Amino acid sequence: MRVLGIETSCDETGVALFDTEHGLRADALHSQVAMHAEYGGVVPELASRDHTRRLLPLISKVLDDAGLDRRGLDAIAYTAGPGLVGALMVGASTAHGMARALDLPVLGVHHMEGHLLAPMLEPRPPAFPFVALLVSGGHTQLVEVSGIGQYRLLGESVDDAAGEAFDKAAKMLDLDYPGGPAVARLASQGDARRWRFPRPMTDRPGLDFSFSGLKTHTLTTIRQLEQQQTLDEQARADVARAFEEAVADTLAIKCRRALDATGLTRLVIAGGVSANQRLRERLEGETAKRGADVYYPRGRFCTDNGAMIAYAGAQRLLAGERDVIGRMQATPRWPLEQLQRP
Ligand code: KG4
Ligand code: ZN
């Protein structure tokens, strides 16, 4: 089954073609980062308009790259939520329009299920069951995954998501949006021994996260350095490093606990923050110690992309799931645990 995947939930227009027999055939992405950078974050209305401009040319490119005509498609999958409603509607209406014109099945996919299954596109995919750490701009969740659509939430952030915390730390350090990669770059020049920032909610049992205290601590440190007039380039890098260490360590501690609690030996990390090198090192160290394995998507499939949507959609379409024609879905809030087995 050849499935076209369409992702437009936030600030990336992603399109891909996944073939259930031959794997990923093509994928293309347009990032709106440069457009939103001027405003220090995503402007929803600009995001929707840009998806409208980019989507059809990207679909043509993916079909060309795959050497396919639109009539060679068997089905269409699109991100139905969670995300920005206007942005979601661009992908949903395009997918439904194409499905009607080409007489194809079409299915709305959960964005976080896409992230969660993205490591399945790699040469060494994880087998079920596993623990998944989903760390993106909007979500920080630990999930026990027994199969597709079989998700048990183990813990989540009670305030900011990990990616959001990176983005806010970046603002405090006068770095550009999106903050994650910028903080990571600066942190690589920093000295990890200078400060030890708090590891929130690790001193008590449980698998929930909180990043607001760490955010305040980061801001207080920066203010003090400013007052002492010692916020030079090295000090900024040291702050970035202490922040990154605290986030990576906190996530690693909770992953260890989640593996203990479930007795599982496979850990998947996905979502934008899973691109973070320091986090990967920490999780590899943590899992190696206990004979467990860690899996993540290739760099460009950590952040939003069409391939993960094509893959997740294909699994459900193969099982016969589809939208009612003419009834597109755009669901800004959609808890992952509501999903069911296909
Ligand atoms: O999954 P994603 O592309 O979009 C959402 O679904 O939210 O995640 C974007 C988030 C942003 O907050 C960004 O700052 C963060 O992922 N991010 C990173 C890195 N690359 C992206 N955070 C830390 N280190 C990185 N290398
Ligand atoms: Zn995402």
Side-chain angles (χ1 to χ4, degrees):
M1 184 186 255
R2 288 178 292 251
V3 180
L4 183 74
I6 296 175
E7 155 63 37
T8 65
S9 68
C10 189
D11 58 349
E12 253 114 26
T13 320
V15 179
L17 188 91
F18 180 77
D19 183 329
T20 51
E21 269 174 45
H22 300 105
L24 188 66
R25 300 258 306 255
D27 76 284
L29 186 88
H30 175 79
S31 170
Q32 304 178 352
V33 159
M35 183 180 81
H36 297 295
E38 228 183 293
Y39 305 92
V42 179
V43 184
E45 178 59 23
L46 294 183
S48 320
R49 290 190 214 171
D50 204 55
H51 286 308
T52 309
R53 266 193 299 272
R54 309 287 176 179
L55 187 52
L56 291 178
L58 277 181
I59 292 173
S60 300
K61 177 173 165 34
V62 162
L63 290 173
D64 277 354
D65 291 351
L68 264 191
D69 184 61
R70 354 191 118 179
R71 277 172 291 275
L73 292 172
D74 297 311
I76 301 173
Y78 64 95
T79 304
L84 302 169
V85 70
L88 289 168
M89 281 169 70
V90 178
S93 54
T94 305
H96 268 262
M98 278 183 77
R100 181 169 281 222
L102 299 168
D103 195 20
L104 293 176
V106 57
L107 182 68
V109 172
H110 194 290
H111 181 79
M112 298 311 290
E113 178 168 71
H115 275 305
L116 194 153
L117 297 176
M120 297 295 184
L121 291 161
E122 299 308 315
R124 191 184 63 103
F128 297 115
F130 53 77
V131 169
L133 172 70
L134 300 177
V135 271
S136 70
H139 293 81
T140 300
Q141 296 182 320
L142 269 167
V143 187
E144 180 180 356
V145 180
S146 311
I148 292 174
Q150 294 172 267
Y151 308 131
R152 185 164 74 92
L153 187 66
L154 301 169
E156 65 184 332
S157 178
V158 298
D159 42 57
D160 291 354
E164 197 178 354
F166 266 99
D167 294 337
K168 288 178 180 169
K171 274 198 182 158
M172 295 173 201
L173 288 163
D174 280 329
L175 297 169
D176 283 341
Y177 163 86
V183 171
R185 257 192 313 277
L186 184 60
S188 68
Q189 309 299 318
D191 180 353
R193 289 159 308 183
R194 181 155 173 197
W195 290 297
R196 189 177 194 284
F197 281 12
R199 274 66 170 152
M201 290 176 80
T202 53
D203 54 352
R204 53 188 133 141
L207 294 168
D208 284 339
F209 306 88
S210 162
F211 291 107
S212 67
L214 175 60
K215 199 175 63 186
T216 310
H217 187 90
T218 306
L219 187 62
T220 311
T221 307
I222 293 172
R223 292 259 160 85
Q224 277 169 358
L225 290 165
E226 275 170 351
Q227 274 164 11
Q228 297 158 1
Q229 297 186 329
T230 51
L231 187 63
D232 55 14
E233 207 39 38
Q234 189 58 49
R236 290 173 72 246
D238 295 344
V239 170
R241 184 64 193 268
F243 171 84
E244 188 185 48
E245 284 294 329
V247 175
D249 201 33
T250 305
L251 294 174
I253 292 168
K254 300 284 167 146
C255 285
R256 186 174 67 211
R257 279 189 200 165
L259 291 172
D260 282 343
T262 55
L264 295 175
T265 55
R266 284 179 289 269
L267 175 70
V268 158
I269 51 168
V273 184
S274 69
N276 187 275
Q277 217 45 49
R278 186 65 194 121
L279 175 64
R280 290 182 175 202
E281 283 165 19
R282 279 292 281 113
L283 291 176
E284 271 165 19
E286 204 60 61
T287 46
K289 266 190 261 168
R290 54 200 309 121
D293 289 309
V294 60
Y295 301 83
Y296 29 69
R298 71 194 81 168
R300 74 175 197 282
F301 294 162
C302 286
T303 43
D304 294 348
N305 64 86
M308 66 184 196
I309 301 305
Y311 179 85
Q315 307 314 308
R316 290 182 173 276
L317 284 154
L318 266 185
E321 263 186 52
R322 49 252 297 103
D323 285 2
V324 174
I325 289 293
R327 206 179 291 167
M328 69 170 196
Q329 302 182 64
T331 314
R333 287 181 187 280
W334 184 6
L336 183 70
E337 317 84 83
Q338 281 180 3
L339 294 186
Q340 298 194 343
R341 303 167 69 147

